[in-house]
Amino acid sequence: MITRRSLLGAAGATGVALVGGCAREPEIDRSLEPPASPGDSGAITFQIWDKAQEPAMQQIIDAFHEQYPDIDVTMSSAAFASYFERLRIQATGDDLPDVFWINGPNFELYASYGMLQDLSGLEGFDPANYPENLTELYTYQGSPYAIPKDFDTIALWYNRDLLHRAGVDEPTGSWSWEEYRDASETVTRALGGEQIWGNPGGVANQAYIYPLIMQAGGFVLDEGKEGKAVSGYDSPGAIEAFSFLDGMIRDGIAPDVRYTAENVPSDLFNSGRAALLQSGNWEAAQLQDSPVREHLGVAPLIHGSEEANVIHGIGYAMSARSRNKPAASAFLAFLGSEEAHRIQAEAGAANPAFVGTNDAYIEAIPEFSLDVFVEAAETARPYPASQNTSAWLQLEELLFPKILSGDGELEKNAADLAMRMNGVLADES
């Protein structure tokens, strides 16, 4: 039997098997109750992890109160670094918030352990209002268990001043891998004496490595024989992507992994020490305060033999054990509404997931061409995730630097990552 206590252990050390406990769980009604009416009363809790978004979330709560004046919503936030540890403890103690943020890497774990409310039939929620590849991310065994809040995709940020100083034209469309490498090399050779890089390298998975693997025809996670998930880190496409990145490091075009462990790539770009940065729309908030802000622009993501991007975003979930499901259902439906998405868009808090509300977000930060991120969502692929994603993310963190260390054993190290990841995936099944 799967219990709340076994959930806490499942998301712990890398490779831990999902072993169910033996304690008897109290019977609960997991059915979705009709949402509260505007005249009903109630009290619910709402948990998020980004203090910078608290003002926008409070605006949404205030707008909800205008329709449901007698339903109290208490919001709390935690730092992202500790958020999911806190959530696991709450789940183990049968004290999950009524409504809370969830992300792709942790979603399936909570859905598969019966902690999330099945939202099929939630009044006011229509999955067609959000990008299909994003609703797919928050679907488990054919049912939706979270409502998309926002989304991020990947593009190419650039510093036009550094490019022009090195004699490189700024990108007007999607560069090929070769064009990206050539531009990076030209900048590094021309401005390296000033400790300026063409691109800042790094091992960021969603922003840097995942898209390149997909662009080379490879995969990170896929269904193998008998529907069992398998790692693609030893696939030809993955090896090609790793080799491309390793080649730039070996040739001195991009910094090595020891350097980027101390010098965060986004910080290098933000401070004017890198001309190019492959990253997401989440950078926009930070770059508004950059000392080189006036020189910054953004272009579509580079492409390999295929065009590929990765989409991810926060989801709103409800505890399956909520003590006030009518009030929670009403609030959750409002969070997923066009009105709520426009509020967060106009506040510049996040790129809204509700189709047709992105213009407000783009106009909130007009100095950057954020429409490239919206356009990328049409063909982007869902963030790779499984039941215990956090376990193999730890393996990535450990082994990506080794793969790109330049020790001449790239393929061996990639195969080691694939083997260890397959061990984690086998434990899931």
Side-chain angles (χ1 to χ4, degrees):
M1 169 183 273
I2 293 174
T3 67
R4 295 189 303 276
R5 184 164 298 280
S6 64
L7 172 70
L8 185 62
T14 301
V16 172
L18 303 183
V19 180
C22 57
R24 180 173 298 278
E25 292 288 290
E27 292 297 324
I28 61 170
D29 182 4
R30 298 184 184 276
S31 61
L32 181 65
E33 299 179 23
S37 298
D40 293 341
S41 61
I44 55 176
T45 54
F46 176 43
Q47 187 165 290
I48 69 174
W49 65 66
D50 188 351
K51 285 188 175 296
Q53 292 200 44
E54 281 187 15
M57 293 300 101
Q58 187 59 55
Q59 288 182 50
I60 292 174
I61 292 172
D62 292 343
F64 173 74
H65 280 156
E66 291 180 7
Q67 298 182 27
Y68 296 84
D70 296 321
I71 295 180
D72 294 326
V73 180
T74 301
M75 178 173 60
S76 63
S77 64
F80 181 77
S82 61
Y83 181 87
F84 287 100
E85 177 63 23
R86 176 181 181 181
L87 203 65
R88 286 193 292 271
I89 293 172
Q90 290 170 323
T92 306
D94 192 19
D95 192 32
L96 277 174
D98 295 290
V99 179
F100 53 95
W101 285 5
I102 194 75
N103 68 358
N106 288 278
F107 164 72
E108 190 171 329
L109 181 69
Y110 283 82
S112 65
Y113 273 65
M115 297 293 166
L116 307 185
Q117 177 65 54
D118 184 343
L119 302 181
S120 300
L122 175 64
E123 186 177 326
F125 169 49
D126 183 356
N129 287 329
Y130 316 90
E132 182 178 358
N133 43 17
L134 196 56
T135 56
E136 179 183 338
L137 182 65
Y138 290 116
T139 297
Y140 178 70
Q141 294 185 343
S143 297
Y145 283 84
I147 298 177
K149 169 192 175 293
D150 53 36
F151 72 81
D152 44 66
T153 53
I154 313 303
L156 182 63
W157 293 92
Y158 62 88
N159 184 316
R160 59 176 61 88
D161 177 60
L162 297 182
L163 292 178
H164 292 168
R165 285 177 57 196
V168 177
D169 293 332
E170 59 189 79
T172 56
S174 173
W175 275 348
S176 66
W177 282 15
E178 292 73 20
E179 289 172 314
Y180 175 75
R181 178 191 164 98
D182 289 346
S184 296
E185 180 170 18
T186 300
V187 174
T188 299
R189 304 298 185 223
L191 305 177
E194 302 174 42
Q195 296 186 318
I196 293 173
W197 295 93
N199 78 74
V203 291
N205 55 7
Q206 178 187 354
Y208 203 37
I209 294 178
Y210 290 175
L212 294 184
I213 290 175
M214 296 171 183
Q215 288 171 14
F219 64 95
V220 175
L221 180 71
D222 204 358
E223 287 190 3
K225 295 179 181 179
E226 301 177 357
K228 295 181 179 179
V230 296
S231 170
Y233 280 125
D234 56 354
S235 67
I239 299 304
E240 181 180 347
F242 285 134
S243 298
F244 173 69
L245 299 177
D246 183 63
M248 287 192 289
I249 294 172
R250 284 173 173 268
D251 293 340
I253 297 171
D256 64 33
V257 291
R258 292 179 295 275
Y259 183 88
T260 55
E262 299 292 334
N263 299 272
V264 179
S266 59
D267 290 346
L268 290 173
F269 182 78
N270 186 43
S271 62
R273 293 181 54 206
L276 304 167
L277 177 68
Q278 186 169 301
S279 193
N281 47 282
W282 59 79
E283 300 286 356
Q286 176 179 338
L287 294 177
Q288 286 188 93
D289 299 322
S290 168
V292 294
R293 167 181 170 176
E294 63 182 299
H295 302 303
L296 304 183
V298 63
L301 182 61
I302 65 175
H303 66 273
S305 58
E306 300 180 18
E307 291 189 6
N309 209 310
V310 177
I311 188 170
H312 181 256
I314 297 170
Y316 293 117
M318 182 201 304
S319 169
R321 306 174 72 90
S322 170
R323 275 88 169 166
N324 196 340
K325 287 188 178 180
S329 294
F331 182 54
L332 193 62
F334 186 81
L335 288 171
S337 69
E338 180 176 358
E339 180 180 354
H341 280 75
R342 287 196 180 280
I343 290 173
Q344 69 168 339
E346 291 170 358
N351 186 13
F354 198 101
V355 175
T357 62
N358 305 105
D359 286 348
Y361 175 67
I362 293 170
E363 293 166 3
I365 314 177
E367 59 267 42
F368 300 139
S369 301
L370 299 181
D371 54 307
V372 299
F373 295 102
V374 177
E375 293 168 359
E378 297 178 7
T379 57
R381 305 176 192 182
Y383 184 101
S386 66
Q387 186 185 57
N388 199 9
T389 309
S390 61
W392 51 266
L393 287 181
Q394 293 176 47
L395 292 174
E396 288 182 353
E397 184 177 354
L398 176 69
L399 294 175
F400 276 172
K402 190 173 182 180
I403 292 170
L404 300 177
S405 67
D407 64 2
E409 296 188 329
L410 183 150
E411 292 191 32
K412 177 183 176 182
N413 293 329
D416 183 36
L417 173 55
M419 179 188 68
R420 296 194 194 188
M421 181 173 167
N422 281 331
V424 171
L425 296 172
D427 285 342
E428 292 181 357
S429 62

